[in-house]
């Protein structure tokens, strides 16, 4: 996907062009991926809009379990293509994992109705009710849009707005994983039941693998911010995707900022951070086509906002005007929440929210503060793209740190099941069990067990869990009973108490405290509100909200930052007055809060002690 020349920006010694895709040189399939919160949805929507307005027929697809495509495009979406009003040629859809799983089950079981007794049908439905089925069904829809020419034949371009990077890597690696599993399977069954349902899709899976590796058909757009962590993740993802055969890649650095107020400390710090991150990633940036998108003063919502994202000279769209006097709602410091967490002396603290809102930073700040107070603390992450170690960047007495490594957990689980069950089986039975354990679903089961184990540690210390972005976390929590059934099927033995008691512990407000982390912006706040509703339906009540990276009281004289601060006001009030029972507030930091000292300072910051 080449970009038309529309000028560029000099950033230190690097000059980067603006991101303005050329419809004539754009491949048929485009994937937008990157760390949470970098702007994948906004950029994929803006690109789809630009292609449609150039006369192309475009389908925009979200593969994120916590998609906010509806909000950005301002149109309700389903898992079927929906026309975007006022934009001829543009359609969009959400791959809904739950709906996909229901359709997948019916595709397998439907032909059996009337042929098998009701008890047998119920058994099949039970076997196909787990999260493994949800995952493969969502992948089934994803691969169908790429490998089935009939499904998208009416469109010139198909754009995928993917979930944060760990999910994207999993989605793309499944194409090869299931293809290889079907090649090697001899039993005709798996954790998904009869493999006949998958065999029917074999040609589509093979075509998906081929298309993803075809540079003339597929472009992978790595989206980043001018931030060290985001650029490091983009570089890591680039290497992993190349290993999967997806080599046609581009990098877009979203939110580049150049101050108009040189004497302003806040805007100078923001500009300096961006330039430093670019300089540190100069080798990576030089290794592939790289473009930039300037920071805009608005939340990118609606068609007008999307046009301004890639073409900032279209005039202000809903740009707020700063007001002379505004009284913010009452908000606490993070320290105040830590005081209550500390009183109990044990249990679990979980940070949840949209990717990129700062869950890792908040989790690390809480863990460091508790450890510095002499409490035994364990900090862990369930995020496939973990950044805990980079954020902590040091050791604190009394604080232990771990990461749930999917590969290591899978290997350990496979060995455990083989040891427990293999001795009871003959050679043929052991071969079938080994085959079943090679299924891609086994990784999900192993990670779930590890999650339950980390929660169990909270019986004698405080465990702080930095969770994956919202959709992945919800699937993890939602799946406890289904995973338990699958564990029972594979291992044939009773499960650890940590698994059996997981849901009970998550629902106990004296044991588990969930912090919903957000930015003072529309999309992350509304996603957190939706997450809160989902948690409450599961009888889990959030402990508090944390509003992170706020420009309130920054005192900036830069016009763009003043507008962005004014844009925060309604969202700050909405969180405090409509959603949260308790709200903590954290300011935007001139330097990224990395290391124990910086994290402890961040936790102690209060609204009253920031410069006005």
């Amino acid at each position: 996907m080449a970009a038309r020349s529309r000028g560029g920006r000099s950033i230190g010694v690097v000059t980067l062009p603006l991101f303005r895709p050329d419809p004539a040189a754009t491949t048929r399939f485009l994937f937008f991926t990157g760390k949470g919160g970098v702007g994948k949805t906004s950029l994929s929507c803006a690109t789809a809009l630009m292609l449609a307005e150039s006369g192309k027929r475009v389908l925009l697809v979200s593969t994120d379990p916590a998609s906010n495509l509806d909000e950005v495009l301002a149109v309700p979406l389903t898992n079927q293509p929906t026309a975007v009003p006022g934009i001829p040629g543009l359609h969009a859809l959400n791959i809904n994992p739950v709906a996909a799983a229901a359709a997948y089950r019916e595709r397998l079981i439907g032909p059996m109705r009337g042929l098998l007794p009701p008890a047998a049908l119920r058994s099949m439905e039970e076997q196909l009710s787990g999260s493994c089925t949800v995952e493969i069904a969502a992948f089934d829809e994803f691969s169908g849009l790429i490998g089935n020419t009939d499904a998208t034949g009416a469109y010139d371009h198909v754009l995928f707005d993917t979930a944060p990077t760990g999910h994207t890597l999993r989605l793309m690696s499944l194409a090869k994983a299931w293809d290889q599993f079907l090649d090697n399977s001899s039993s005709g069954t798996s954790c998904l039941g009869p493999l006949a349902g998958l065999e029917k899709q074999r040609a589509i899976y093979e075509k998906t693998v081929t298309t993803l590796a075809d540079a003339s058909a597929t472009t992978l757009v790595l989206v980043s911010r001018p931030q060290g962590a985001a650029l490091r993740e983009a570089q890591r993802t680039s290497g992993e995707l190349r290993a999967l055969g997806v080599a046609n890649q581009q990098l877009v650095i979203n939110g580049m900022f150049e101050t108009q107020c040189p004497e302003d400390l806040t805007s100078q710090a923001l500009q300096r951070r961006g330039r430093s991150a670019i300089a540190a990633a100069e080798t990576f940036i030089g290794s592939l086509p790289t473009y930039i998108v300037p920071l805009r003063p608005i939340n990118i919502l609606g068609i007008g906002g999307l046009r301004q994202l890639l073409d900032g000279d279209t005039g202000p769209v809903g740009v707020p005007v700063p007001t002379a006097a505004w009284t913010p709602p009452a908000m606490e410091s993070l320290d105040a929440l830590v005081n209550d967490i500390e009183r109990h002396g044990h249990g679990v603290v979980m940070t949840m929210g949209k990717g990129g809102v700062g869950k890792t930073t908040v989790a690390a700040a809480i863990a460091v503060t508790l450890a510095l107070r002499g409490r035994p603390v364990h900090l862990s992450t369930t995020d496939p793209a973990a950044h805990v170690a980079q954020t902590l960047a040091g050791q604190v007495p009394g604080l232990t740190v771990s990461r749930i490594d999917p590969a290591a957990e899978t290997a350990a689980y496979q060995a455990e099941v083989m040891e427990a069950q293999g001795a009871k089986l003959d050679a043929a039975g052991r071969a079938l069990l080994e085959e079943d354990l090679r299924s891609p679903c086994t990784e999900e089961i192993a990670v779930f067990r590890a999650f339950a184990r980390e929660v169990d540690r909270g019986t004698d210390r405080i465990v702080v869990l930095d969770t994956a972005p919202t959709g992945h976390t919800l699937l993890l929590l939602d799946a406890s009973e289904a995973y338990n059934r699958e564990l029972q099927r594979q291992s044939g033995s009773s499960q650890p108490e940590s698994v059996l008691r997981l849901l009970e512990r998550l629902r106990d407000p004296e044991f588990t405290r969930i912090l919903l982390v957000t930015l003072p912006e529309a999309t992350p706040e509304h996603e957190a509100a939706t997450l809160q509703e989902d948690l409450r339906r599961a009888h889990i009540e959030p402990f508090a909200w944390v509003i992170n990276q706020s420009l309130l009281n920054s005192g900036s004289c830069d016009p763009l930052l003043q507008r962005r601060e004014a844009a925060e006001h309604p969202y700050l009030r909405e969180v405090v007055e409509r959603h949260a029972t308790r709200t903590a507030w954290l300011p935007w930091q001139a330097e990224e809060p990395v290391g124990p000292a910086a994290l402890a300072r961040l936790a102690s910051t209060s609204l009253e002690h920031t410069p006005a």
Side-chain angles (χ1 to χ4, degrees):
M1 179 178 61
R4 296 181 298 196
S5 177
R6 291 188 75 249
R9 297 281 177 89
S10 294
I11 302 146
V13 297
V14 181
T15 300
L16 298 173
L18 295 173
F19 179 64
R20 185 70 175 173
D22 183 356
T26 298
T27 56
R28 184 157 188 263
F29 296 100
L30 297 173
F31 288 84
F32 290 78
T33 190
K35 189 176 185 294
V38 294
K40 297 180 296 294
T41 298
S42 298
L43 282 172
S44 61
C45 287
T47 303
L49 173 64
M50 186 209 67
L51 290 171
E53 292 189 327
S54 73
K56 303 289 187 178
R57 297 164 300 171
V58 181
L59 177 64
L60 177 59
V61 180
S62 174
T63 69
D64 191 341
S67 171
N68 63 310
L69 210 57
D70 310 55
E71 183 171 28
V72 175
L73 291 174
V75 58
L77 300 177
T78 67
N79 64 345
Q80 298 298 315
T82 299
V84 177
I87 310 298
L90 178 58
H91 290 76
L93 67 83
N94 282 326
I95 292 180
N96 182 317
V98 176
Y104 179 84
R105 280 193 298 272
E106 185 58 29
R107 191 163 71 242
L108 291 185
I109 296 173
M112 307 293 182
R113 297 189 193 282
L115 301 176
L116 294 178
L121 293 174
R122 283 195 299 272
S123 177
M124 289 180 67
E125 287 175 346
E126 168 119 354
Q127 188 174 6
L128 293 170
S129 64
S131 283
C132 298
T133 304
V134 172
E135 180 183 52
I136 191 60
F139 167 71
D140 210 34
E141 289 202 7
F142 160 77
S143 59
L145 295 170
I146 301 171
N148 183 356
T149 52
D150 294 335
T152 58
Y155 300 99
D156 300 307
H157 300 284
V158 183
L159 280 66
F160 291 88
D161 167 36
T162 71
T165 341
H167 173 90
T168 305
L169 290 168
R170 174 76 174 160
L171 199 64
M172 292 189 168
S173 65
L174 276 174
K176 284 190 175 180
W178 280 108
D179 200 31
Q180 292 168 357
F181 184 68
L182 291 171
D183 271 336
N184 299 325
S185 177
S186 59
S187 67
T189 62
S190 76
C191 55
L192 301 174
L195 285 179
L198 296 178
E199 279 286 3
K200 292 176 182 177
Q201 303 297 99
R202 166 60 72 90
I204 291 175
Y205 290 179
E206 290 176 344
K207 180 69 181 299
T208 300
V209 173
T210 302
T211 302
L212 290 174
D214 183 355
S216 67
T218 300
T219 302
L220 195 289
V221 183
L222 295 156
V223 185
S224 180
R225 291 275 183 183
Q227 298 165 353
L231 284 163
R232 284 191 297 271
E233 179 156 332
Q235 183 171 3
R236 180 186 62 80
T237 304
S238 174
E240 294 191 27
L241 287 167
R242 287 182 192 280
L244 291 171
V246 186
N248 185 20
Q249 302 177 6
Q250 296 184 355
L251 175 65
V252 177
I253 303 173
N254 184 29
M256 283 302 308
F257 174 71
E258 299 291 321
T259 183
Q260 299 179 42
C261 191
E263 67 275 16
D264 176 38
L265 295 179
T266 299
S267 59
Q268 281 293 316
L270 183 57
Q271 177 177 281
R272 184 173 62 252
R273 270 174 56 169
R275 290 183 173 183
S276 296
I278 297 287
E282 188 174 348
T283 301
F284 169 54
I285 289 171
S287 71
L288 73 175
T290 300
Y291 307 93
I292 63 168
V293 175
L295 184 68
R296 302 303 186 192
I298 63 168
N299 286 306
I300 306 301
L301 296 174
I303 300 303
L306 291 170
R307 287 196 180 105
Q308 186 173 356
L309 179 63
L310 295 187
D311 198 0
D313 54 7
T314 57
V317 179
V319 177
V321 178
T323 55
W326 185 77
T327 303
M331 296 176 285
E332 304 176 68
S333 67
L334 192 59
D335 246 356
L337 301 184
V338 173
N339 290 339
D340 280 358
I341 293 167
E342 184 185 14
R343 288 192 191 103
H344 293 269
H346 72 283
V348 173
V349 178
M350 296 177 66
T351 56
M352 291 186 176
K354 181 176 169 60
V357 296
K359 296 183 297 296
T360 300
T361 298
V362 172
I366 292 170
V368 165
T369 302
L370 287 165
L372 291 174
R373 295 180 182 184
R375 294 290 184 180
V377 183
H378 182 71
L379 174 62
S380 185
T381 181
T382 67
D383 193 337
H387 304 284
V388 166
Q390 293 170 353
T391 302
L392 198 58
Q395 295 184 343
V396 180
L399 174 61
T400 56
V401 181
S402 70
R403 169 180 174 256
I404 294 176
D405 182 332
E409 297 296 343
T410 302
Y413 173 65
Q414 288 169 330
E416 181 183 323
V417 173
M418 285 304 301
E419 182 180 354
Q421 300 302 313
K424 308 172 187 176
L425 302 173
D426 59 17
R430 284 194 299 274
L432 288 175
L433 181 58
E434 286 177 345
E435 179 183 298
D436 193 21
L437 289 170
R438 285 195 296 271
S439 158
C441 295
T442 299
E443 180 183 308
E444 292 290 319
I445 297 166
V447 169
F448 171 75
R449 281 207 341 165
F451 170 67
R453 183 188 66 226
E454 295 296 87
V455 170
D456 188 56
R457 290 190 184 196
T459 55
D460 61 359
R461 73 197 77 183
I462 298 174
V463 173
V464 183
L465 278 173
D466 165 37
T467 71
T470 319
H472 181 277
T473 307
L474 276 180
L475 288 177
L476 201 63
L477 297 180
D478 220 18
S480 57
E481 293 179 8
Y483 274 130
N484 202 24
R485 286 195 298 269
E486 181 59 21
L487 282 163
Q488 181 73 30
R489 185 191 70 81
Q490 277 193 342
S491 69
S493 59
S494 60
Q495 295 309 309
E497 185 182 359
S498 60
V499 172
L500 298 175
R501 294 195 60 192
L502 177 60
L503 204 55
E504 171 194 340
R505 284 170 168 162
L506 294 176
R507 288 171 172 168
D508 181 0
E510 295 299 310
F511 188 88
T512 299
R513 291 165 186 81
I514 291 178
L515 302 183
L516 298 178
V517 185
T518 185
L519 304 179
E521 300 173 9
T523 299
E525 184 201 309
H526 296 162
E527 186 164 317
T530 300
L531 171 58
Q532 179 165 262
E533 292 172 5
D534 290 335
L535 289 169
R536 285 173 172 168
R537 276 196 291 273
H539 308 291
I540 300 172
E541 183 63 29
F543 172 63
W545 284 53
V546 178
I547 300 175
N548 193 25
Q549 299 179 31
S550 171
L551 287 168
L552 188 65
N553 277 12
S554 68
S556 176
C557 63
D558 186 272
L560 188 147
L561 295 188
Q562 287 180 345
R563 288 174 180 151
R564 289 189 68 87
E565 179 183 340
E568 292 183 3
H569 296 176
Y571 301 110
L572 294 171
R573 286 209 175 277
E574 191 171 331
V575 169
V576 174
E577 296 173 3
R578 289 185 52 191
H579 299 310
T581 53
R582 296 183 69 174
T583 305
W585 174 90
L586 294 173
W588 181 84
Q589 300 287 294
E591 300 295 335
E592 291 191 54
V594 173
L599 290 166
R601 282 196 302 273
L602 177 65
S604 64
T605 305
S606 66
L607 189 58
E608 292 76 18
H609 294 94
T610 55

